[in-house]
Amino acid sequence: MPLLLQSTIIATDIDAFAVAVVAASLADAQKKVDDVAAACDAGRYGVMVGNFKVCPLCASGTSGDGYGCTSCDAGTAADVGATSCSDCVAGSYAQGGEWACACPGCVLAACLLLLLLLLLLLLLLLLLLLLLLNRATQHFPPGCCSPCSCREL
């Protein structure tokens, strides 16, 4: 049964990180002081805060064995609270300590495709503007509204 925190934590007594750890971890990760040597659940690591051991989740880009968190190697990645780092799929890569694998050329390809689409849109707008300007500058004799109708007169 978890030991409930009954004293007030003062921010000046411990650093802000520890306050965040306590707030995030008390509900499901608190252990009694006499159980300090015991491992936390996988994907977590132990931190002593006063007389309490809390077990926050390992950060993204790391995996935990209950005693500590280890940064993922290059070519692998892990989300928050991971128990192991996952290999990147073929064609993607992570430099190590990252939460997700990415396709190195995908970002450049996506940017180039977006640029191409924007240029096509700009070209279409320019053609529409030229068509409208051409119509506005054409003058026909009275009774004629197009070159074809003027030939009939």
Side-chain angles (χ1 to χ4, degrees):
M1 174 172 217
L3 182 66
L4 297 177
L5 180 64
Q6 296 187 6
S7 63
T8 304
I9 296 174
I10 300 171
T12 56
D13 293 341
I14 53 178
D15 66 348
F17 173 75
V19 172
V21 167
V22 170
S25 302
L26 281 178
D28 64 351
Q30 188 176 24
K31 295 186 179 288
K32 291 183 179 179
V33 175
D34 60 347
D35 202 12
V36 171
C40 296
D41 295 336
R44 296 177 176 269
Y45 63 99
V47 175
M48 290 301 298
V49 179
N51 290 333
F52 297 97
K53 179 178 181 180
V54 293
C55 298
L57 294 170
C58 290
S60 60
T62 66
S63 64
D65 61 2
Y67 292 101
C69 301
T70 305
S71 184
C72 294
D73 294 329
T76 64
D79 204 356
V80 174
T83 57
S84 65
C85 298
S86 303
D87 291 333
C88 296
V89 297
S92 65
Y93 185 76
Q95 293 185 5
E98 296 182 31
W99 69 275
C101 301
C103 170
C106 294
V107 174
L108 179 60
C111 288
L112 290 175
L113 181 61
L114 182 60
L115 181 61
L116 180 64
L117 290 174
L118 288 173
L119 287 174
L120 285 174
L121 180 62
L122 183 61
L123 181 63
L124 286 173
L125 289 173
L126 183 61
L127 288 173
L128 181 62
L129 180 62
L130 288 174
L131 179 66
L132 291 173
L133 287 174
N134 188 34
R135 281 240 186 234
T137 57
Q138 287 183 353
H139 299 288
F140 301 106
C144 296
C145 55
S146 71
C148 295
S149 63
C150 291
R151 288 186 204 142
E152 297 170 359
L153 291 177

